[in-house]
């Protein structure tokens, strides 16, 4: 049975699709069979990312390991049981079809609260939540006091994850391994960065998630999309020498992959 990785955060622009593409491609390059579902049915950033990759690789006559994106199957409304939600059905049908034939299914969620995203969270064996280093983004996980030091209580997104955890427990499924990944970190030591670090550590103990090192703010993450590439592919497309920033970014990805502790994954890139 495939291990299901959900990448979610109701906050838009946290880096879900960027993290999704890098994690899925890293796993595919390590020889794992990876399928992906993009639940942002409107923006389709992840789907577009893999389409760009297929087009670029075809044009360059390259054959690089890649995740495969699948669409949710269409379901005829008359086949639904009374009270059954069509989106739940489409998602579970997609997962059921992919489960037997893949090592991993990666699900990229939209940056808003949708029914599809909510159901996906209850399917997660591993949940990755990228988080920008900002108290505006932190506010979806927990409320803090005016200084950002004291946690006052969980917030909407954490409550949604808590519900997903309850649903899994009731169904006798393994608990979700929830990992919060700090994204777009600045290079300098800043008061905000340190405050965020303290707040996240504090919260991780309160609501039960692990913290993984994420990606620094780097322009390369914004440039790879049109060719559908990840940091791992640069050498294969003929880049002879990676610059210092790209080498550091690769190391960040390696550290993230290690921290995820996915079953059967040995980090060898
Ligand atoms: N580490 C990074 N350094 C620089 N830019 C980044 C980094 N991570 C993400 N970005 C950029 O930030 C923007 C948002 O990233 P992305 O689309 O991955 O987020 P998202 O959480 O999937 O957004 P949405 O909620 O809209 O689905 C994009 O322009 C992306 O290229
Ligand atoms: Mg996205």
């Amino acid at each position: 049975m495939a291990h299901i990785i959900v990448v979610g955060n109701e906050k838009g622009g946290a880096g879900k699709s960027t993290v999704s593409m890098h994690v899925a491609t890293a796993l595919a390059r390590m020889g794992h069979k990876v399928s992906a579902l993009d639940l942002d049915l409107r923006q389709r950033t992840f789907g577009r990312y893999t389409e760009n990759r297929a087009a670029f690789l075809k044009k360059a006559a390259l054959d690089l390991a890649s995740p495969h994106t699948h669409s949710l199957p269409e379901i005829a409304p008359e086949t639904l049981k009374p009270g059954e939600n069509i989106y739940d059905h489409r998602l579970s049908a997609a997962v059921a079809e992919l489960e037997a034939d893949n090592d991993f299914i990666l699900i990229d969620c939209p940056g808003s609260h949708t029914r599809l995203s909510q159901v996906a969270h209850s399917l997660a064996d591993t949940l990755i939540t990228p988080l920008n280093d900002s108290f505006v983004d932190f506010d979806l996980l927990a409320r803090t006091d005016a200084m950002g030091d004291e946690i006052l209580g969980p917030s909407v997104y954490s409550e949604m994850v808590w519900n997903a955890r309850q649903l899994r427990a009731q169904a006798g499924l393994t608990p979700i391994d929830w990992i919060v990944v700090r994204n777009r970190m600045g290079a300098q030591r800043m008061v905000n960065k340190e405050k965020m670090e303290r707040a996240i550590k504090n919260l991780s103990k309160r609501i039960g998630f692990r913290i993984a090192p994420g990606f620094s703010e780097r322009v390369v993450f914004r440039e790879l999309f049109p060719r559908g590439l990840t940091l791992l592919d640069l050498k294969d497309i003929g880049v002879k020498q990676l610059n210092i920033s790209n080498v550091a970014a690769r190391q960040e990805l390696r550290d993230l992959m290690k921290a995820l502790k996915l079953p059967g994954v040995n980090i060898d890139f």
Side-chain angles (χ1 to χ4, degrees), residues 123-144:
L123 300 176
D125 296 307
T126 296
L127 170 63
I128 306 175
T129 298
L131 184 74
N132 282 323
D133 248 17
S134 155
F135 277 101
V136 176
D137 291 43
F138 189 86
D139 194 54
L140 272 81
L141 289 182
R143 304 269 145 80
T144 64

Side-chain angles (χ1 to χ4, degrees), residues 63-240:
D63 183 20
L64 302 183
S66 306
H68 299 278
T69 308
H70 300 258
S71 307
L72 299 183
E74 292 299 336
I75 305 278
E78 58 273 17
T79 63
L80 294 173
K81 295 188 195 97
E84 195 180 14
N85 181 289
I86 193 157
Y87 286 109
D88 298 11
H89 198 107
R90 289 179 72 191
L91 181 56
S92 49
V95 168
E97 199 187 315
L98 298 173
E99 221 159 21
D101 208 25
N102 283 280
D103 302 315
F104 294 96
I105 301 173
L106 186 138
I107 305 180
D108 184 15
C109 292
S112 57
H113 181 66
T114 66
R115 173 82 189 192
L116 266 179
S117 173
Q118 200 179 351
V119 177
H121 280 68
S122 65
L123 300 176
D125 296 307
T126 296
L127 170 63
I128 306 175
T129 298
L131 184 74
N132 282 323
D133 248 17
S134 155
F135 277 101
V136 176
D137 291 43
F138 189 86
D139 194 54
L140 272 81
L141 289 182
R143 304 269 145 80
T144 64
D145 69 345
M147 298 307 287
D149 291 325
E150 199 191 329
I151 308 264
L152 303 178
S155 195
V156 281
Y157 183 68
S158 307
E159 275 165 2
M160 199 265 269
V161 176
W162 193 83
N163 284 333
R165 282 178 155 162
Q166 293 295 104
L167 280 177
R168 283 180 74 85
Q170 281 158 16
L173 297 169
T174 51
I176 302 173
D177 185 14
W178 185 14
I179 300 137
V180 171
V181 175
R182 291 171 74 192
N183 189 30
R184 306 189 71 163
M185 284 190 294
Q188 295 100 330
R189 279 175 72 91
M190 285 185 297
V191 177
N192 177 67
K193 197 170 158 188
E194 285 165 12
K195 262 194 166 180
M196 277 292 290
E197 193 161 328
R198 275 201 303 277
I200 294 173
K201 261 196 192 145
N202 197 349
L203 186 64
S204 78
K205 291 184 212 120
R206 286 268 293 264
I207 60 175
F209 57 75
R210 300 194 287 124
I211 305 164
F215 302 139
S216 302
E217 171 73 36
R218 292 180 201 281
V219 80
V220 67
F221 286 110
R222 287 177 250 151
E223 292 173 343
L224 295 166
F225 176 80
R227 289 172 295 165
L229 296 174
T230 68
L231 285 160
L232 302 175
D233 306 306
L234 297 178
K235 281 206 170 145
D236 295 322
I237 63 155
V239 178
K240 294 257 172 341

